[in-house]
Amino acid sequence: MIPVPLSYALPDSSATDALGAGLARTFPGAAIGATVYLRGELGSGKTTCARSMLHALGITATVRSPTYTLVDTYSVSGLTCVHVDLYRLQSPAEVEELGLRDLTGPGYVMLIEWPENGGRAVPPPDLILQLQYAGEARSAAIGAGSEDGRSWISKLAIDTSLAAYVSNMT
Ligand SMILES: Nc1ncnc2c1ncn2[C@@H]1O[C@H](COP(=O)(O)OP(=O)(O)OP(=O)(O)O)[C@@H](O)[C@H]1O
Ligand SMILES: [Mg+2]
């Protein structure tokens, strides 16, 4: 992981929602697409952040945790959103069968919870979001895995709506 240039204090779940919405506002766009790793302990807020991002991208459907389905997909105006949760993965072969690499690149945004469980079949990240417990609250550290991720982070860092919601600890 490239050194973490951004971190935020997330005092409550609405702050995690605000981060998800900020990620959607600054998303590189459907023409480029993106893969995001959501890392962090059980209950650290990965699904909360993903759900908020998907809704802010325009998904009106209910976004559930894909813990049992492993992959849920949603479509909105030229963008396919792929929400993945590899927590319950039984074997590395199972992730191969998911064909995740065919669901990345232009036209796709892929959000992956528990990417560390997937091994080599998991597409490389543009952005890595690490959530952490801070007592009852959470914090988030965001790093880039690609040049697209770097420019995404640069936009996020100057997003005033997000800054109004969560404090940047960087
Ligand atoms: N910043 C926050 N402060 C306090 N609670 C939060 C915060 N963000 C999310 N939560 C709460 O934490 C709980 C677990 O969130 P969530 O399901 O998003 O975690 P998760 O990381 O996806 O868990 P899992 O590892 O099981 O997939 C929810 O009740 C959510 O509202
Ligand atoms: Mg989850």
Side-chain angles (χ1 to χ4, degrees):
M1 181 163 160
I2 294 163
V4 170
L6 260 191
S7 46
Y8 294 103
L10 304 173
D12 55 28
S13 64
S14 68
T16 308
D17 286 342
L19 176 59
L23 288 168
R25 268 194 303 279
T26 53
F27 166 60
I32 295 176
T35 299
V36 178
Y37 285 5
L38 295 158
R39 300 174 57 117
E41 287 173 49
L42 273 175
S44 56
K46 302 179 292 296
T47 301
T48 305
C49 186
R51 177 183 293 123
S52 172
M53 181 177 171
L54 293 172
H55 284 153
L57 285 170
I59 305 297
T60 52
T62 302
V63 174
R64 297 200 171 81
S65 172
T67 307
Y68 295 96
T69 51
L70 298 185
V71 181
D72 284 343
T73 57
Y74 309 88
S75 289
V76 62
S77 52
L79 181 68
T80 300
C81 303
V82 186
H83 187 189
V84 183
D85 184 344
L86 301 178
Y87 184 67
R88 287 186 184 272
L89 206 67
Q90 303 292 328
S91 70
E94 203 181 349
V95 72
E96 295 282 353
E97 284 164 25
L98 296 175
L100 297 181
R101 283 182 186 276
D102 298 333
L103 301 172
T104 55
Y108 291 95
V109 58
M110 178 176 284
L111 309 178
I112 314 177
E113 301 187 37
W114 298 100
E116 58 273 38
N117 287 0
R120 286 188 191 179
V122 177
D126 295 297
L127 214 66
I128 301 147
L129 184 73
Q130 176 78 48
L131 289 153
Q132 254 172 345
Y133 279 84
E136 303 264 298
R138 311 285 190 271
S139 66
I142 304 174
S146 71
E147 275 310 314
D148 289 339
R150 268 183 206 274
S151 49
W152 191 350
I153 286 178
S154 312
K155 285 199 275 173
L156 192 68
I158 55 167
D159 184 86
T160 46
S161 305
L162 179 59
Y165 238 100
V166 298
S167 49
N168 189 341
M169 306 192 297
T170 311

